[in-house]
């Protein structure tokens, strides 16, 4: 059986089952934790290949910055303080030396801004460019992705921009709408990511926010919600569409389903928090958080949006 027949999600399920043979309570999480004496370290690794990840409007410096921000989002959504990184880069022998320097400079831009140590930069030769990054941080406590009934769901309502760009790219309509401010905003997010917008939020004590579980939306909001719902065997009920009005209006004018691009985008890298109590209004206003739903008392492993099962689950490799 080929991977194209099962898709990434089923592959991950198989891998998790194998890992549980070694660690019975292993769960799908953005990071893994390692306790050393009195410290709790959070570790994450992420990787990207040119043919499936690099978009036509990315510069090579963008690639380095974005790859590190993508890995950092995993730490930040767990309220972990980034400490260090290691990166492995694969280039073809025909790559321009300037491209290599630009990727590394992009990595160093972000590392410097986050005061992170660069432990190692490794290079390899291959048939296409790829980059893999491991990041290490320090955590106050472990935060998983399993949600229990009664929790509130919060996020930052900036979805839809990236979904619109991916939608237009897939339909070969991007050129005709490239100058629209909403499309330009989506391209800017895909080039730079939204992670810097919520770094200050990640510096808060998760206990102050009463966070029980969290995840980021690297594969899209729909994918993030479905992962939590299925791994927790709960029903997540979403009542609010977390999108700016200009996104909704753009969709109306261009015959696009706003629900699809909001939940089926990718690379937003925004936080989704599951909290025991409602977050105070002043904190929501400070960090741009909104409550978009709650975890139902019912079992089922489903995501419900306005009384209907949400069909959009986000990006998935191998199937496409």
């Amino acid at each position: 059986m080929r991977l194209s027949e099962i898709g990434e999600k089923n592959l991950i399920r198989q891998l998790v089952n194998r890992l549980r043979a070694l660690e019975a309570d292993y769960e799908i999480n953005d990071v893994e934790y390692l306790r050393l004496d009195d410290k709790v370290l959070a570790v994450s690794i992420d990787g990207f290949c040119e043919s499936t990840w690099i978009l036509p409007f990315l510069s090579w410096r963008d690639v380095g910055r974005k790859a590190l921000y993508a890995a950092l989002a995993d730490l930040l959504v767990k309220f972990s303080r980034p400490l260090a990184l290691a990166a492995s880069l694969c280039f073809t022998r025909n790559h321009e030396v300037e491209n290599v320097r630009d990727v590394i400079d992009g990595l160093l831009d972000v590392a410097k801004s986050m005061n992170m140590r660069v432990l190692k930069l490794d290079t390899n030769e291959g048939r296409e460019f790829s980059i893999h990054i491991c990041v290490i941080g320090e955590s106050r406590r472990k935060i998983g992705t399993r949600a229990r009934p009664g929790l509130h769901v919060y996020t930052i309502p900036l979805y839809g921009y990236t979904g619109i760009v991916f939608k237009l790219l897939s339909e070969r309509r991007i050129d005709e709408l490239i100058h629209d401010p909403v499309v330009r905003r989506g391209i800017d997010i895909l080039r730079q990511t939204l992670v810097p917008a919520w770094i200050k939020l990640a510096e808060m004590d998760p206990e102050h926010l009463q966070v029980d579980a969290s995840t980021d939306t690297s594969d899209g909001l729909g994918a993030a919600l479905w992962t939590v719902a299925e791994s927790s065997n709960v029903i997540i009920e979403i009542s609010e569409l977390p999108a700016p009005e200009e996104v909704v209006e753009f969709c109306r004018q261009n015959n696009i389903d706003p629900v699809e691009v909001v939940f089926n985008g990718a690379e937003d890298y925004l936080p989704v928090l599951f909290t025991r109590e409602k977050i105070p209004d002043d904190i929501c206003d400070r960090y741009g958080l909104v409550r978009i739903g709650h975890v139902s008392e019912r079992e089922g492993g489903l995501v419900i949006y306005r009384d209907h099962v949400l069909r959009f689950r986000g990006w998935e490799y191998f199937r496409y």
Side-chain angles (χ1 to χ4, degrees):
M1 179 179 292
R2 298 181 184 274
L3 290 178
S4 59
E5 297 177 64
I6 65 171
E8 184 182 20
K9 300 297 186 295
N10 285 324
L11 174 63
I12 290 173
R13 291 187 185 101
Q14 291 185 18
L15 295 175
V16 168
N17 288 336
R18 287 181 176 272
L19 288 169
R20 283 176 179 162
L22 298 175
E23 192 172 338
D25 61 347
Y26 183 87
E27 67 172 301
I28 300 174
N29 202 358
D30 295 291
V31 304
E32 287 304 322
Y33 295 90
L34 182 66
R35 183 174 291 278
L36 292 177
D37 298 326
D38 60 340
K39 295 185 181 296
V40 178
L41 298 182
V43 182
S44 181
I45 189 167
D46 225 331
F48 309 94
C49 293
E50 181 174 0
S51 58
T52 58
W53 184 68
I54 296 184
L55 296 166
F57 38 75
L58 293 183
S59 71
W60 286 104
R61 195 158 187 155
D62 289 337
V63 167
R65 282 193 294 253
K66 183 177 175 179
L68 181 48
Y69 273 136
L72 277 173
D74 291 336
L75 289 188
L76 296 174
V77 80
K78 303 299 181 181
F79 298 87
S80 300
R81 180 171 67 91
L83 299 175
L85 72 104
S88 179
L89 300 97
C90 179
F91 293 93
T92 70
R93 63 179 57 198
N94 294 322
H95 256 100
E96 298 288 340
V97 174
E98 289 77 10
N99 295 346
V100 179
R101 291 173 180 162
D102 284 346
V103 172
I104 293 173
D105 284 346
L107 287 172
L108 297 180
D109 288 344
V110 179
K112 183 178 180 180
S113 72
M114 298 296 294
N115 197 29
M116 299 176 69
R117 286 188 59 200
V118 180
L119 301 180
K120 182 176 176 60
L121 290 177
D122 174 63
T123 56
N124 300 280
E125 181 185 343
R127 294 184 178 180
E128 70 170 328
F129 167 80
S130 66
I131 181 169
H132 295 79
I133 298 179
C134 177
V135 288
I136 303 170
E138 184 176 1
S139 290
R140 297 176 177 87
R141 63 176 174 86
K142 179 178 179 178
I143 300 175
T145 53
R146 290 178 182 164
R148 56 184 176 80
L151 296 182
H152 305 276
V153 185
Y154 283 86
T155 191
I156 298 174
L158 292 174
Y159 296 95
Y161 294 105
T162 64
I164 284 170
V165 174
F166 283 121
K167 177 79 170 175
L168 295 177
L169 283 170
S170 68
E171 296 179 350
R172 302 184 185 277
R173 297 172 59 196
I174 191 76
D175 289 341
E176 65 185 78
L177 294 166
I178 193 72
H179 298 297
D180 188 284
V182 170
V183 177
R184 297 306 310 174
R185 174 68 166 145
I187 290 173
D188 287 343
I189 292 170
L190 289 167
R191 288 185 60 238
Q192 304 289 344
T193 84
L194 285 163
V195 172
W198 56 277
I199 285 175
K200 290 296 182 183
L201 169 65
E203 294 174 355
M204 289 194 68
D205 184 344
E207 196 55 39
H208 182 65
L209 298 177
Q210 300 193 58
V211 176
D212 262 13
S214 66
T215 185
D216 84 304
T217 57
S218 55
D219 294 329
L221 178 58
L225 293 171
W226 272 99
T227 295
V228 174
E230 290 180 334
S231 64
S232 310
N233 192 31
V234 296
I235 294 177
I236 298 176
E237 298 188 21
I238 303 299
S239 56
E240 300 297 327
L241 188 70
E245 182 57 39
E246 67 174 354
V247 166
V248 177
E249 180 60 21
F250 177 92
C251 291
R252 186 189 67 78
Q253 293 179 3
N254 293 280
N255 196 30
I256 294 173
D257 181 359
V259 177
E260 178 185 359
V261 296
V262 165
F263 289 100
N264 215 43
E267 300 180 17
D268 306 289
Y269 300 113
L270 288 165
V272 180
L273 310 178
F274 295 81
T275 67
R276 297 188 294 278
E277 300 292 339
K278 290 184 178 180
I279 299 176
D281 290 343
D282 63 321
I283 295 179
C284 287
D285 292 342
R286 189 183 314 159
Y287 298 107
L289 293 166
V290 297
R291 181 181 181 275
I292 62 171
H294 68 282
V295 182
S296 170
E297 297 292 337
R298 299 175 290 163
E299 295 183 350
L302 298 173
V303 179
I304 305 294
Y305 174 65
R306 294 183 178 174
D307 299 324
H308 294 88
V309 175
L310 187 69
R311 296 182 292 115
F312 309 109
R313 300 192 180 205
W315 182 259
E316 183 177 356
Y317 286 114
F318 307 126
R319 283 197 181 279
Y320 306 105

